[in-house]
Amino acid sequence: ALAIYPLDHYWRATTVGNLGELEQRRGDLAGAERHYREALASHRAHYGPGHDRVATMLNRLGGVLHAQGRVDEAEVHLREALSIFRDRLPDGHPRLG
């Protein structure tokens, strides 16, 4: 899939994020972090800072940082994700839990 999409194509970021999830499930936290950071930067560039895709990548990145014991760094990303989700989702939405 990465070979199909140009570097600046917005669907490429989704593929990169999915690769990050795969790396995380395999236990390669550094690989997952690298993919999540790439996908996050691309989503921010394509959708703007307050989009739910940005929040999803922030949430994933925060989770992998937490799993690495980088709790303070994780908190920054998780709080930013929560802020975006609060702005975009209705009260009681499962993602807010």
Side-chain angles (χ1 to χ4, degrees), residues 32-55:
E33 178 185 352
R34 187 174 54 256
H35 284 104
Y36 290 155
R37 286 187 187 279
E38 181 182 339
L40 174 61
S42 183
H43 283 319
R44 279 186 169 142
H46 288 292
Y47 299 109
H51 195 276
D52 59 331
R53 288 180 186 250
V54 170

Side-chain angles (χ1 to χ4, degrees), residues 17-73:
N18 289 340
L19 287 172
E21 186 174 352
L22 177 64
E23 296 287 359
Q24 186 173 2
R25 289 177 186 220
R26 289 181 172 173
D28 181 359
L29 301 180
E33 178 185 352
R34 187 174 54 256
H35 284 104
Y36 290 155
R37 286 187 187 279
E38 181 182 339
L40 174 61
S42 183
H43 283 319
R44 279 186 169 142
H46 288 292
Y47 299 109
H51 195 276
D52 59 331
R53 288 180 186 250
V54 170
T56 297
M57 275 310 121
L58 285 164
N59 192 47
R60 288 182 183 181
L61 178 58
V64 82
L65 291 170
H66 183 270
Q68 293 177 61
R70 297 159 60 188
V71 179
D72 292 340
E73 196 176 346

Side-chain angles (χ1 to χ4, degrees), residues 1-14 16 38-39 41-43 45-46:
L2 293 178
I4 294 171
Y5 299 118
L7 290 176
D8 62 344
H9 195 280
Y10 62 94
W11 278 105
R12 187 177 195 284
T14 300
V16 171
E38 181 182 339
S42 183
H43 283 319
H46 288 292

